[in-house]
């Protein structure tokens, strides 16, 4: 089975900071990777699909990159609404594995 | 507006059964793969199961294989998850989610329901 590892697990940042979250796959998943944002008590929200495609309605400060086994989610200028937990998900195999999550906290 | 509404959660004893439902509206239900994802209290997301638009292909996480069954009724625009032999570790919020247009059965999920809570405890 493909394992997904996110880093860091927690990130402390300030409004306006550039933030980068990394997701590594245990084997190549081509570009079959999505990123989600989840706020407490709410359902996840799709941000990025196919590693770098921005979901409709998602602000352009969010971007994704990578292929194969290493991927990044970048928030170019962190906004107050962006403090949340972020998850990557691979969908290259017959299982849709999530990473363990990265919590972005206020510094 | 595309909407997913889960129901059927509740308190069940270990070894018991429960059937979750997810009512879909605002899109051509039969054209899209659907998935179930769960989240245990204070934990991350766990992909559980997925089904093709026709219902002909199904996939399961190892943790639920043989105990859970995903199905759909396209005439009723409803997705189901039959959960048998429930364990304490199945306690979670269960979300249904819609796959993208033209995507595979296992894919990113662009619309999510609000979730329904399942608690397995004696």
């Amino acid at each position: 089975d493909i394992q997904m590892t996110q880093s860091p697990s927690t990130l402390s940042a300030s409004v306006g900071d550039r933030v980068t979250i990394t997701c590594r796959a245990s084997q190549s998943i081509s570009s079959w990777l999505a990123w989600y944002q989840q706020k407490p008590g709410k359902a996840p929200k799709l941000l990025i699909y196919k590693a770098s495609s921005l979901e409709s309605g998602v602000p352009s400060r969010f971007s994704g990159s990578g292929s194969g086994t290493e991927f990044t989610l970048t928030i170019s200028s962190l906004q107050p609404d962006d403090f949340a937990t972020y998850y990557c998900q691979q969908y290259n195999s017959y299982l849709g594995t999530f990473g363990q999550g990265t919590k972005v906290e206020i510094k | 507006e595309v909407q997913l509404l889960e129901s059927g959660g509740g308190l069940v004893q270990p070894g018991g059964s429960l059937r979750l439902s997810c009512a879909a509206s605002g899109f051509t239900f039969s054209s899209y793969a659907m998935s179930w994802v769960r989240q245990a209290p204070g934990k991350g997301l766990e992909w559980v199961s997925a089904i093709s638009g026709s219902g002909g292909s199904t996939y399961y996480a190892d943790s639920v294989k043989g105990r859970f069954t995903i199905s759909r009724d396209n005439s009723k625009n409803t997705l189901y998850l039959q959960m048998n032999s429930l364990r304490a570790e199945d306690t979670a919020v269960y979300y249904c989610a819609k796959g993208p247009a033209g995507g595979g059965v296992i894919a990113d999920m662009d619309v999510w329901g609000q979730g329904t809570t399942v608690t397995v405890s004696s």
Side-chain angles (χ1 to χ4, degrees):
Chain A
D1 295 353
I2 299 174
Q3 309 300 320
M4 305 302 292
T5 304
Q6 287 183 235
S7 60
S9 296
T10 306
L11 188 160
S12 296
S14 302
V15 172
D17 284 352
R18 181 181 181 88
V19 166
T20 298
I21 299 168
T22 298
C23 180
R24 289 186 174 88
S26 59
Q27 62 190 74
S28 177
I29 57 169
S30 185
S31 295
W32 302 116
L33 184 102
W35 289 98
Y36 301 87
Q37 177 193 68
Q38 187 182 34
K39 297 180 180 179
K42 300 294 187 182
K45 173 187 174 183
L46 178 65
L47 300 176
I48 302 286
Y49 61 96
K50 259 185 240 177
S52 60
S53 296
L54 190 68
E55 174 70 354
S56 176
V58 174
S60 59
R61 63 181 179 271
F62 291 92
S63 64
S65 65
S67 67
T69 61
E70 188 151 337
F71 302 86
T72 59
L73 173 71
T74 299
I75 309 172
S76 61
S77 177
L78 198 65
Q79 298 302 300
D81 191 48
D82 301 338
F83 292 96
T85 300
Y86 294 84
Y87 295 92
C88 63
Q89 179 223 352
Q90 69 82 19
Y91 46 101
N92 182 66
S93 70
Y94 292 114
L95 303 172
T97 324
F98 287 92
Q100 81 278 15
T102 296
K103 186 175 183 180
V104 177
E105 298 181 327
I106 300 173
K107 191 172 185 179
Chain B
E1 182 189 3
V2 175
Q3 283 193 323
L4 300 172
L5 186 62
E6 301 96 336
S7 61
L11 174 64
V12 61
Q13 292 189 336
S17 298
L18 211 55
R19 188 177 84 157
L20 306 184
S21 299
C22 171
S25 60
F27 64 103
T28 305
F29 183 67
S30 61
S31 295
Y32 295 88
M34 298 292 295
S35 298
W36 288 98
V37 175
R38 68 183 180 183
Q39 187 168 37
K43 302 297 185 183
L45 301 173
E46 180 185 13
W47 178 86
V48 173
S49 184
I51 187 169
S52 61
S54 66
S57 297
T58 58
Y59 302 91
Y60 298 93
D62 290 345
S63 57
V64 307
K65 198 175 295 182
R67 299 187 300 123
F68 290 13
T69 302
I70 190 171
S71 63
R72 63 193 298 159
D73 185 336
N74 287 342
S75 69
K76 295 183 178 178
N77 290 346
T78 302
L79 174 73
Y80 302 101
L81 187 67
Q82 177 67 44
M83 304 186 296
N84 298 331
S85 303
L86 282 161
R87 307 166 179 165
E89 54 264 37
D90 296 318
T91 294
V93 175
Y94 285 74
Y95 296 100
C96 66
K98 169 187 163 291
V105 180
I106 313 295
D108 52 284
M109 292 164 275
D110 59 4
V111 179
W112 295 63
Q114 87 292 344
T116 187
T117 300
V118 172
T119 303
V120 184
S121 174
S122 55

